[in-house]
Amino acid sequence: MKVLLLGTAAGGGFPQWNCACAMCGNPTLPPRTQDCIAISADGTNWYLINASPDIRAQILASKHLSAGPGPRDTPIRGALLTDAELDHTLGLTMLREGAGLRIWAPAAVLRALNHDFPLRDIVSRYGAWDWQAVTTEFEVDGLRVTVIPISDKKPKYTQSTVDGPWVVAYRIEDPAGGTLIYAPCLKTWPENFDTLVSGTTCVILDGTFYSPTEMSTATTTVTSGAQHAMGHIPISGPHGSLTKIAAHPHTRWIYTHLNNTNPILDPNSPEYQEVLEGGAEAPPDGTELNL
Ligand code: MLT
Ligand code: MN
Ligand code: ZN
């Protein structure tokens, strides 16, 4: 299985357009676009996981995703959505010129995109797409996908009371070799996660915040409670994800969805050194994995 890390930042990207913090203002740090990956069993047909608002630039930056060979052909066949958040769905509007895409998402997410933020109706006026609700398992072009229910965290734009899961992760197995878990939105370490991770080649994990109180330290307008309410497990600390990773030394661990406050955006920071020593990494946008 081939995997392209198209984007690795949280909503807003890095740097964020309206942020004058020391990190966003540091021109030496590598910029990152909002998180999105592409997967392929054969290197010819590609499927996105999530559709970042930056998808147009991400596609243009990847030689694997160039249009062709016919005048309106694209190697992008569809997208799997982990949730209904704006940073994971807005990109679908950028793909509206493409007919026939297949979109997989949990039922609550599909409903939100019908009612609360009617993106499905909007894009369907440009071309017919196929929308599939996912529950437990499905197949995407020879790749076996298992749905991992994560939480009922809803986007800010909806008051919906529809049953979840609202957030899922995906485990993707290539029968020819290689397994990947993509989990960009974790509030806590899921109960059965260690079992699911065992034998997985690579896990791409929620790395939004390094510390449990980072947002309140970086900005005066956000309280530490607000960070917790955003529902992202921190990397560091006694309940952070880095302590959990140690149990799986044979798996490659990659942090994604990095918020613009996260000190690991600086590859020379002591915090990033700690991540490396803990057995994880945060490679830049454009990284290709062969699992
Ligand atoms: C999140 O990851 O918590 C959301 O994407 C926040 C947002 O709306 O930008
Ligand atoms: Mn997000
Ligand atoms: Zn900033």
Side-chain angles (χ1 to χ4, degrees):
M1 175 174 21
K2 293 182 191 310
V3 180
L4 309 176
L5 303 186
L6 299 178
T8 53
F14 179 72
Q16 182 169 307
W17 67 276
N18 64 341
C19 188
C21 75
M23 302 268 295
C24 288
N26 183 344
T28 67
L29 300 183
R32 293 177 188 254
T33 59
Q34 294 161 90
D35 78 286
C36 185
I37 65 168
I39 58 171
S40 177
D42 57 9
T44 304
N45 298 306
W46 290 89
Y47 294 83
L48 305 172
I49 306 191
N50 291 333
S52 149
D54 301 313
I55 191 66
R56 178 180 175 277
Q58 292 169 341
I59 291 168
L60 295 181
S62 173
K63 63 180 192 291
H64 299 283
L65 303 180
S66 302
R72 277 296 175 109
D73 287 346
T74 166
I76 298 172
R77 303 276 174 257
L80 290 65
L81 305 178
T82 60
D83 52 70
E85 296 287 347
L86 295 176
D87 56 342
H88 293 161
T89 56
L90 274 174
L92 294 178
T93 64
M94 316 295 158
L95 302 176
R96 64 192 178 282
E97 298 90 353
L101 295 181
R102 301 191 73 191
I103 312 294
W104 293 264
V109 170
L110 292 182
R111 194 174 185 285
L113 299 180
N114 251 342
H115 294 265
D116 312 85
F117 171 42
L119 182 151
R120 284 177 64 177
D121 184 47
I122 295 165
V123 296
S124 72
R125 289 163 199 261
Y126 293 82
W129 290 5
D130 178 41
W131 303 82
Q132 297 281 337
V134 303
T135 49
T136 52
E137 288 180 349
F138 57 103
E139 210 184 290
V140 174
D141 238 342
L143 298 171
R144 290 189 201 130
V145 184
T146 306
V147 182
I148 308 172
I150 295 290
S151 76
D152 284 341
K153 189 200 158 208
K154 292 171 208 157
K156 276 186 183 167
Y157 63 74
T158 177
Q159 305 294 320
S160 170
T161 53
V162 164
D163 284 346
W166 279 83
V167 178
V168 300
Y170 291 112
R171 185 177 193 275
I172 298 127
E173 182 174 353
D174 185 345
T179 41
L180 170 76
I181 290 179
Y182 192 62
C185 185
L186 294 180
K187 187 164 192 167
T188 53
W189 197 254
E191 229 168 65
N192 60 343
F193 210 52
D194 288 290
T195 313
L196 290 161
V197 164
S198 98
T200 297
T201 326
C202 177
V203 181
I204 304 178
L205 194 66
D206 187 340
T208 311
F209 301 116
Y210 173 77
S211 94
T213 55
E214 178 177 312
M215 272 181 81
S216 43
T217 314
T219 76
T220 50
T221 52
V222 179
T223 64
S224 57
Q227 177 176 322
H228 183 69
M230 282 182 74
H232 297 289
I233 186 174
I235 292 173
S236 72
H239 306 293
S241 55
L242 203 56
T243 59
K244 309 286 189 183
I245 284 172
H248 305 276
H250 303 300
T251 296
R252 183 170 179 185
W253 291 90
I254 291 177
Y255 281 116
T256 191
H257 196 270
L258 307 181
N259 195 53
N260 61 69
T261 51
N262 191 327
I264 76 166
L265 288 163
D266 181 350
N268 296 315
S269 63
E271 291 86 354
Y272 191 54
Q273 275 312 305
E274 190 200 325
V275 164
L276 291 176
E277 282 157 22
E281 57 189 311
D285 287 13
T287 298
E288 299 182 22
L289 313 174
N290 278 299
L291 304 183

